Amino acid sequence: MTTQHAFQAEVAQLLHLVTHSLYSNKDIFLRELVSNASDACDKLRFEALNDAALYENAPNLEVRVAFDKDAKTLTITDNGIGMSEQEAIDHLGTIAKSGTKDFMSRLSGDQKKDAQLIGQFGVGFYSGFIVADKITVESRRAGLAPEAGVRWVSGGSGDFETETITRTERGTSVILHLRDDASEYLNRWKLKTIIGKYSDHISLPILMQKEEWDKDKGEYVLQADWEAINSASALWTRAKKDISEEQYTEFYKNISYDSEAPLSWSHNRVEGSTEYTQLLYIPAKAPHDLWNRDKKAGVKLYVKRVFIMDDAEALMPSYLRWVKGVIDSADLPLNVSRELLQESRDVKAIREGNTRRVLAMLEDLAKKDKLPAQAGEGADGVTDVLSAEEKAEAEKMVGKYSAFYAEFGAVLKEGLGEDFGNRERIAKLLRFASTQSDTVSVSLADYKARMKEGQEAIYYITADTLAAARNSPQLEVFRKKGIEVLLMTDRVDEWALSFLHEFDGSPLQSVAKGAVDLGKLQDEEEKKAAEQAAETFKPVLDRLKDSLKDRAKDVRATSRLVDSPACLVVEDGDYSMQLARMLKQAGQKAPEVQPILEVNPEHPLVKKLDGHVQFDDLAHILFDQALLAEGGLPEDPAAYVKRVNALLV
Ligand code: ADP
């Protein structure tokens, strides 16, 4: 008896797209189905750890790919975990995987664009409909009786049907009834080539029937015996020298769902008190959910080549959650749980090893980001020193770190607050824009090398945008004296920087916090003049303090301004105005920060204050303008406009 079921709406939508827009990249269906078959075997192996009976006396897991030219079918069979009827209905009728759902939500409705997107993204089981106009799935879950098998059939439009069947073998067969224009897949060589390209790293044997030339028939004829057509060894267990760049890249794409090649990878067998194999990749592009701190890390955990879990967050600190890869441990117990992982000493050692490895990879990319400058050489001087090969190799690396940093730099900064042990190494990897560089390319070491004689601190400013940072009045005196200031516009900057008090012996100092102290950069004369100005200016300051007593914590004269009449600063250790605003906007509780108004006694507007009839209005205007200049808004804009208008009249 067959039962009719409707696909979940999203599946129907996905199927429509799959069948209408994936023609240019048909081959991927085989990768997806072989990958599902391999996952099903991994799942069986995992469940069998607690219940060996699930093997049903057939412990050799494998995938078989067979085709039938007459019936025009291609069948992918695995002896993995299999599905019960209910599981087939649930898993092959809905989209469970959040990745696929996210992907669907990004579809624009524009067929051409969506086709591109979908081609990059693995669409799993449903990709079978690229080449098939009907798919039959026959399956039985391991451990269930032969009578509890299921047949699932669909033509790939709105619905599918299921019925109970008897199936002696455990596992799943996916039978593709190929479309007329997909008969190219009824060819052993073609299938073998695709599997070699996409699925060679699969650790199970993928079997196909042998074929022999039949002289009488004048064609190849399938034989009764089967042979493995892949290497059937997990990629990371092979020696580095036996793995091609293409294989590494293909493996990355397979585990990451990323269509782009990775920027870099590192493959090592780590020996010592904890033994494990580590294969880690740095992606070229950030995933769209990078900012979700709850997102699990991208590292898969294997124990002695048995797949244990995806997203093993205990293996990577949160600020490196974008790293993809595989860890295969020789020491962990096979039945390790997420809870157990958190407490394991071995896991801690692996996480530390992984962290060190990733930082080393980044350091390497950073070092090679620019071509090495050769002393005394011209623009193209590199040629004289490096061999052609070395030069080509060096050129390949150029810009990679910058590309990485543009995508992941802001997350890396979280490490300053998260990983105290590596703070120094992380700090060295940071890059910033500055008053002397438009691009985010200045390292703290670059900055230090350019520090002025007598300069003690590394100066920086945080703002919402680069333009706001660059134009902020607080920078005026620094510009006048030619002192470089780092411009920081990432949301995490202020928080992250609060963990980095110094770099290589120089304190980091926000130019918008505390009194300006240029130390030795200010000469004696300037200092004296400033003190004197403050003295004669004191009565005006006192009046300003009085007028603004509800708004400003303090009012003082400053030498940090050149062209502007006033600016706002906060005390050392206070949240910056910008951070307080940001927290408020995000609906979070932010401490009320009362700023300090600093005025420039040399400015004509400030000079006018003394004895002015509208002193009080001017005081408020000065304050509101300082607020505007640093990206804030007067708390009573109407009152501000009124005051300005009164003066204009
Ligand atoms: P996924 O990315 O989760 O594999 P698919 O659409 O490819 O998405 O498959 C949906 C679900 O169907 C899988 O998560 C799995 O539960 C089930 N499934 C697919 N193929 C097989 C198979 N060969 N054996 C057992 N279960 C399978």
Side-chain angles (χ1 to χ4, degrees), residues 337-512:
S337 65
R338 282 189 196 270
E339 291 68 39
L340 222 74
L341 278 183
Q342 300 293 350
E343 287 152 23
S344 153
R345 277 251 214 87
D346 288 318
V347 170
K348 196 159 168 271
I350 296 175
R351 178 172 57 226
E352 280 166 9
N354 286 347
T355 306
R356 278 195 301 273
R357 178 64 59 187
V358 175
L359 293 177
M361 286 159 84
L362 295 178
E363 283 157 3
D364 186 55
L365 287 178
K367 200 173 85 197
K368 296 173 178 163
D369 199 46
K370 294 193 191 87
L371 284 179
Q374 303 292 324
E377 300 288 352
D380 194 27
V382 192
T383 33
D384 306 333
V385 188
L386 302 175
S387 71
E389 220 169 277
E390 285 168 330
K391 191 183 170 203
E393 194 56 37
E395 274 170 357
K396 234 170 65 185
M397 300 304 290
V398 169
K400 282 197 177 186
Y401 189 70
S402 317
F404 157 80
Y405 200 81
E407 293 287 319
F408 299 103
V411 193
L412 188 64
K413 286 177 193 161
E414 292 175 10
L416 293 177
E418 191 185 337
D419 185 357
F420 296 157
N422 286 305
R423 197 181 291 162
E424 190 107 341
R425 286 180 81 175
I426 298 166
K428 284 186 185 155
L429 288 167
L430 301 183
R431 299 290 180 270
F432 303 99
S434 86
T435 45
Q436 295 182 20
S437 165
D438 282 332
T439 56
V440 179
S441 60
V442 182
S443 71
L444 292 170
D446 295 340
Y447 182 98
K448 277 210 70 162
R450 290 201 285 258
M451 276 184 13
K452 290 261 171 205
E453 173 99 21
Q455 181 180 348
E456 279 155 6
I458 297 172
Y459 294 104
Y460 70 92
I461 185 162
T462 54
D464 297 333
T465 63
L466 212 51
R470 207 177 284 286
N471 295 325
S472 89
Q474 279 96 341
L475 293 186
E476 286 171 5
V477 68
F478 294 90
R479 193 166 290 126
K480 185 172 145 198
K481 289 187 173 289
I483 302 168
E484 183 169 14
V485 177
L486 299 174
L487 309 175
M488 309 202 177
T489 53
D490 274 333
R491 289 169 137 240
V492 297
D493 280 329
E494 189 168 339
W495 174 84
L497 267 281
S498 69
F499 294 97
L500 188 71
H501 302 293
E502 55 121 41
F503 177 80
D504 191 15
S506 305
L508 272 86
Q509 169 70 47
S510 161
V511 304

Side-chain angles (χ1 to χ4, degrees), residues 36-37 40 43 78 81-83 91-92 97 124-126 172 257:
N36 279 353
K43 279 182 205 156
D78 66 72
I81 192 72
M83 285 176 272
H91 296 157
L92 305 181
K97 207 175 57 182
F125 170 77
Y126 304 106
T172 306
Y257 295 103

